[in-house]
Amino acid sequence: MVFKVSKVPTTPFDGQKPGTSGLRKKVKVFIQPHYLQNFVQSTFNALTSEKVRGATLVVSGDGRYYSKDAIQIIIKISAANGVRRVWVGQNGLLSTPAVSAVIRERVGADGSKATGAFILTASHNPGGPNEDFGIKYNMENGGPAPEAITDKIFETTKTITEYLIADDLPNVDISATGVSSFQGPEGQFDVDVFDSAIDYVKLMKSIFDFELISKLLSSPKFTFCYDALHGVAGAYANRIFVEELGAQESSLLNCVPKEDFGGGHPDPNLTYAKELVARMGLGKSNSEVEPPEFGAAADGDADRNMILGKRFFVTPSDSVAIIAANAVDAIPYFSSGLKGVARSMPTSAALDVVAKHLNLKFFEVPTGWKFFGNLMDAGLCSVCGEESFGTGSDHIREKDGIWAVLAWLSILAYKNKDNLNGNKLVTVEDIVRQHWASYGQHYYTRYDYENVDAGAAKDLMAYLVKLQSSLDEINTIVKGARSDVSNVVNADEFEYKDPVDGSISKHQGIRFLFEDGSRLVFRLSGTGSEGATIRLYIEQYEKDSSKIGRDSQEALAPLVEVALKLSKMQEFTGRSAPTVIT
């Protein structure tokens, strides 16, 4: 039987604009007739024909509600557009980092290589019939589509008149591995359902010393806990931590992937990873049980991570700096040295200090993983990270939550390799405090003012830009608020010229840089239907060893006062306190 290709007339939907993380909307929006179909066809129309006709595509995601239906629809549209084969992770599950790895590493039984992927995820947003769904396209380097492509997709969504679909192609059973072959008007079309973990596990084993890590995990002194928050990381946790590294199964929390993430918010931070936070001794109530030595969590699509020690939280900004400082010694993949390091602009300058000490190339980029991808493709960057719990390296072109956990376990294993039978292990907290002693500490916090009137938010930002023209005026306000805060030596609006492709990104945030290395950063985030979010990042650099290790809100209090006075926050927004403090 030869499947038929139907041309279905359609009309455009408003607002199908993919951001850096693809198109994210409520499930109710995605299930409208033609909605997903329009977006997928628009993507095919925006790509060059060799990326579609005869090509191999990966289609999978974090398993959230509506994924299974979406995969069948995308298979049928792919077949109708002349795609040669579609690769699907078993049960439709592939973490975002695993998709990147599959595009870069996997070779099909017939020698085929993937040229792109549709990833079905809304990352750390909740899932379920009333929650969020998302779709994004990744390129042949394994990274997210660049702006030139996403802009073209958006333009195409505004003018689409029809899409192609192979309606009579039967649904493929994605719960069992194996290849299903079909005949179409242009010849054979295959759907290859494969083991979700195999390529990713192989890549991790080529990067890290699994033998050294398993010695740490088998030490009776070392206890460990990993929380997948019912996201797709669960599909990898058992394979890597239990089967490969010998951890106890009881050390895995919420590691069964669920369409609604168990009703929770799959965002690995101190607010949403409640169970892990309590188990690590950082909850409100002190339990009698001794917390594990090491804990970590992932988000829905497993590209973000949170690292915890016993009763100790590691900030994402410190985490990337500590990984970079220890990578060459502790991680075989980096044994011949780092090509360079990079961070997003709002992330603390802890990484900058490491780069300076180790004489490494250093880049400060706008928020968005694609900026790191360009640097990596050009061989300029090995390790990178952002304050929003994303850390990664040039092994793939996405941030990678499990990679970050294995990096920390590698550092712990390396520091303890001659000490596993000793009295006391070197702990996460020891490693962080040793790092502060060597490099100084960056006290860091983020204030989010959510759903602020969009007009008021824009006025506040415009006022700050105007203020930046006079350092004297700024420092008069600073000293008037707190005489114990050092002078502002530089004030600007961050813009980035990409050293690889020469593209320029403007208006990426307003910065005030102080003489002692402290910073204030103001950013506007998404002016959605709910108004705007103002993010204020406050960072105090401390080299004086007697002032290291204090409570961060206490250490930052003077700078917070300066930031609120400088920006006239309450005057512009009517808010006396932020919605969220991170």
Side-chain angles (χ1 to χ4, degrees):
M1 185 198 110
V2 176
F3 64 77
K4 290 196 296 291
V5 172
S6 316
K7 285 187 174 177
V8 180
T10 187
T11 51
F13 288 90
D14 281 345
Q16 286 195 324
K17 184 175 170 60
T20 44
S21 321
L23 180 69
R24 291 184 191 167
K25 303 280 180 191
K26 292 285 177 212
V27 168
K28 288 188 166 74
V29 174
F30 266 101
I31 60 177
Q32 297 173 90
H34 311 309
Y35 190 90
L36 175 65
Q37 290 86 337
N38 276 20
F39 186 77
V40 174
Q41 185 66 57
S42 296
T43 304
F44 283 148
N45 293 353
L47 294 168
T48 51
S49 72
E50 77 274 7
K51 299 260 165 60
V52 184
R53 308 193 80 74
T56 300
L57 289 180
V58 185
V59 181
S60 285
D62 61 14
R64 65 180 53 239
Y65 183 84
Y66 189 57
S67 297
K68 291 198 164 101
D69 294 343
I71 288 168
Q72 301 295 344
I73 291 169
I74 297 169
I75 288 172
K76 292 178 168 112
I77 297 176
S78 300
N81 278 276
V83 169
R84 173 65 182 80
R85 51 186 87 67
V86 170
W87 291 350
V88 181
Q90 191 172 7
N91 295 313
L93 296 176
L94 278 176
S95 71
T96 294
V99 172
S100 192
V102 164
I103 294 173
R104 295 171 67 85
E105 309 285 336
R106 186 173 195 255
V107 180
D110 54 4
S112 51
K113 291 274 292 166
T115 54
F118 284 105
I119 309 181
L120 307 177
T121 177
S123 191
H124 51 287
N125 297 3
N130 300 309
E131 297 297 349
D132 295 358
F133 187 73
I135 178 169
K136 72 171 189 164
Y137 186 81
N138 275 33
M139 308 297 284
E140 65 274 21
N141 72 341
E147 227 154 295
I149 303 276
T150 53
D151 286 348
K152 204 169 165 192
I153 294 170
F154 181 44
E155 289 311 313
T156 313
T157 65
K158 296 182 199 170
T159 56
I160 189 167
T161 57
E162 62 177 24
Y163 60 84
L164 305 180
I165 191 161
D167 261 332
D168 60 349
L169 191 75
N171 278 357
V172 176
D173 177 7
I174 58 173
S175 67
T177 59
V179 178
S180 311
S181 293
F182 306 94
Q183 288 302 319
E186 297 184 35
Q188 194 171 327
F189 170 71
D190 295 335
V191 179
D192 179 356
V193 180
F194 64 100
D195 179 319
S196 305
I198 218 158
D199 302 279
Y200 183 77
V201 173
K202 192 172 137 197
L203 181 60
M204 292 301 111
K205 289 176 81 167
S206 74
I207 295 171
F208 299 104
D209 183 342
F210 269 43
E211 205 180 318
L212 190 65
I213 299 172
S214 58
K215 281 185 186 144
L216 174 73
L217 287 179
S218 61
S219 160
K221 285 192 200 61
F222 187 78
T223 41
F224 159 86
C225 181
Y226 184 76
D227 188 347
L229 294 172
H230 289 303
V232 73
Y236 302 87
N238 203 60
R239 286 284 269 283
I240 291 175
F241 299 124
V242 178
E243 288 176 30
E244 293 286 346
L245 295 170
Q248 301 294 318
E249 221 166 313
S250 59
S251 55
L252 303 184
L253 268 181
N254 305 316
C255 278
V256 176
K258 294 189 175 173
E259 289 193 331
D260 66 348
F261 307 111
H265 200 120
D267 198 354
N269 58 36
L270 295 172
T271 307
Y272 293 120
K274 289 188 184 69
E275 204 175 329
L276 176 70
V277 166
R279 196 185 272 206
M280 294 307 296
L282 286 163
K284 296 278 179 278
S285 57
N286 283 333
S287 72
E288 298 302 303
V289 188
E290 188 63 9
E293 285 299 325
F294 179 84
D299 69 335
D301 65 333
D303 62 350
R304 295 185 178 205
N305 72 92
M306 175 169 68
I307 303 293
L308 301 171
K310 181 186 293 190
R311 303 188 186 92
F312 192 83
F313 167 65
V314 183
T315 72
S317 297
D318 276 343
S319 179
V320 67
I322 290 166
I323 291 171
N326 292 283
V328 174
D329 288 338
I331 301 169
Y333 178 85
F334 299 116
S335 59
S336 58
L338 298 179
K339 296 165 187 163
V341 295
R343 64 167 172 84
S344 67
M345 188 275 283
T347 303
S348 97
L351 185 62
D352 315 31
V353 182
V354 171
K356 206 169 166 187
H357 270 251
L358 303 180
N359 204 12
L360 294 170
K361 280 195 192 83
F362 167 79
F363 302 90
E364 180 179 27
V365 306
T367 302
W369 208 260
K370 59 178 186 233
F371 296 104
F372 295 132
N374 270 359
L375 295 170
M376 290 171 180
D377 283 346
L380 296 170
C381 175
S382 295
V383 171
C384 58
E386 49 190 25
E387 46 77 35
S388 49
F389 297 88
T391 326
S393 100
D394 63 349
H395 66 292
I396 53 170
R397 295 296 177 270
E398 290 277 7
K399 46 189 173 240
D400 190 344
I402 289 177
W403 173 90
V405 173
L406 290 169
W408 266 93
L409 289 173
S410 298
I411 294 166
L412 283 161
Y414 175 77
K415 301 260 187 201
N416 285 296
K417 66 177 190 301
D418 305 319
N419 186 33
L420 290 174
N421 305 318
N423 294 332
K424 187 182 174 301
L425 293 181
V426 176
T427 65
V428 170
E429 183 171 351
D430 294 337
I431 289 169
V432 176
R433 290 190 185 280
Q434 279 161 13
H435 185 87
W436 291 341
S438 307
Y439 297 100
Q441 180 179 359
H442 291 80
Y443 290 103
Y444 184 85
T445 190
R446 183 175 107 189
Y447 280 29
D448 288 359
Y449 296 83
E450 292 173 0
N451 302 338
V452 171
D453 176 78
K458 285 197 179 102
D459 290 347
L460 180 146
M461 297 300 270
Y463 166 74
L464 285 172
V465 171
K466 200 166 148 247
L467 185 63
Q468 289 191 330
S469 58
S470 165
L471 281 180
D472 287 345
E473 194 183 337
I474 291 169
N475 284 316
T476 306
I477 299 170
V478 169
K479 292 299 182 202
R482 293 289 300 224
S483 57
D484 55 350
V485 168
S486 80
N487 276 333
V488 172
V489 289
N490 195 9
D492 66 3
E493 205 174 354
F494 180 59
E495 75 173 49
Y496 177 69
K497 184 174 186 213
D498 195 305
V500 181
D501 63 19
S503 63
I504 293 174
S505 308
K506 297 184 181 227
H507 309 300
Q508 294 296 316
I510 292 168
R511 302 187 295 179
F512 295 89
L513 310 172
F514 294 77
E515 206 165 359
D516 64 355
S518 300
R519 296 193 314 161
L520 294 177
V521 174
F522 295 83
R523 281 181 72 231
L524 261 194
S525 183
T527 42
S529 53
E530 303 281 320
T533 294
I534 298 171
R535 298 194 200 283
L536 161 58
Y537 305 83
I538 302 154
E539 173 183 350
Q540 172 78 46
Y541 181 48
E542 190 54 76
K543 285 195 294 236
D544 178 346
S545 57
S546 68
K547 291 183 178 167
I548 283 172
R550 291 185 296 160
D551 172 72
S552 81
Q553 293 302 328
E554 179 195 319
L556 290 164
L559 261 185
V560 169
E561 206 174 312
V562 164
L564 299 181
K565 189 84 52 61
L566 205 55
S567 63
K568 300 188 174 173
M569 185 67 78
Q570 188 162 358
E571 207 172 304
F572 278 108
T573 65
R575 303 286 177 90
S576 56
T579 323
V580 182
I581 296 181
T582 309

